[in-house]
Amino acid sequence: GDYMLSCSADQHWGFSDIGTGKLLCKVADQSVSHGLTCCQFHPDGLIFGTGTSDSLVKIWDFKEQKSAANFPGHSGPISAIAFSENGYYLATSADDEVVKLWDLRKLRNFKTISLDDKYTVRGLTFDNSGHYLAVAGPDVRVYQISKQCDLVVTWDAHTQDSTDVSFGPDVNYVASVSNDRTLKFYSAN
């Protein structure tokens, strides 16, 4: 079936069956005093991540419904999280104008990408290879994931903040959506 993971400001995450509309489980995160701001399933479907309004990223064991790891280090509410398709990396952002890259095999931050002053990240996504990370915010940016995490390209086509971004098949294009109610496509060649 098709399922959906959701989280809320009341410190709960839920798992629902889209076909029936039924909530299959609802779990409170008792360890945080603030709400959950974002969530994302890991590609294997066995774990998922949540972000909190008090700057913490948590990895959860779905079957056990328990927290498996914590990633502190941001300041401000977590605004977006994304797993690489190979499952090795996690990208996170908050209201602190940085994107942190985490190695899930070693449970550590291996790179912090500093963004412009007052840059608010609204969305993060890896391409299928895990070699590129797209960032949605006041503009759309693509970084090559390496020791340097080089900025490859920036697009500034929206009239308001981009709210999410996605790669097309084989990174042929990048698509972004915005508060200006438009969908933009960019050639990635």
Side-chain angles (χ1 to χ4, degrees):
D2 292 325
Y3 302 98
M4 181 178 77
L5 178 66
S6 61
C7 63
S8 65
D10 69 358
Q11 301 157 327
H12 286 82
W13 59 264
F15 185 67
S16 302
D17 183 320
I18 294 174
T20 65
K22 292 189 189 259
L23 179 65
L24 302 176
C25 71
K26 182 178 177 182
V27 176
D29 185 352
Q30 303 291 344
S31 68
V32 297
S33 58
H34 295 85
L36 304 179
T37 56
C38 55
C39 56
Q40 176 80 41
F41 260 112
H42 185 271
D44 72 8
L46 301 175
I47 61 173
F48 65 93
T50 59
T52 68
S53 58
D54 58 350
S55 311
L56 187 61
V57 175
K58 298 180 80 168
I59 304 299
W60 293 80
D61 179 313
F62 180 68
K63 184 177 178 184
E64 299 295 322
Q65 298 180 359
K66 294 189 188 294
S67 177
N70 292 335
F71 294 103
H74 279 291
S75 60
I78 304 300
S79 58
I81 59 177
F83 290 98
S84 64
E85 190 64 32
N86 64 13
Y88 296 159
Y89 305 117
L90 172 67
T92 62
S93 63
D95 289 350
D96 53 6
E97 292 119 17
V98 298
V99 172
K100 290 188 176 284
L101 298 172
W102 307 87
D103 187 324
L104 295 174
R105 298 163 296 179
K106 297 177 183 176
L107 299 178
R108 68 175 187 85
N109 172 236
F110 69 91
K111 184 67 178 174
T112 299
I113 302 169
S114 296
L115 303 169
D116 303 334
D117 189 36
K118 298 185 181 179
Y119 193 102
T120 302
V121 176
R122 305 279 186 211
L124 296 168
T125 191
F126 285 93
D127 76 310
N128 284 338
S129 73
H131 292 119
Y132 296 96
L133 175 71
V135 178
D139 53 27
V140 175
R141 298 176 179 194
V142 177
Y143 291 88
Q144 183 175 14
I145 305 304
S146 62
K147 288 186 180 188
Q148 308 306 330
C149 289
D150 296 320
L151 178 62
V152 177
V153 66
T154 302
W155 292 291
D156 192 14
H158 291 289
T159 59
Q160 294 183 25
D161 281 2
S162 299
T163 55
D164 212 352
V165 61
S166 185
F167 287 96
D170 301 320
V171 194
N172 291 330
Y173 63 86
V174 174
S176 65
V177 292
S178 166
N179 284 332
D180 65 12
R181 299 194 284 171
T182 63
L183 167 65
K184 303 280 186 181
F185 292 93
Y186 313 97
S187 173
N189 296 329

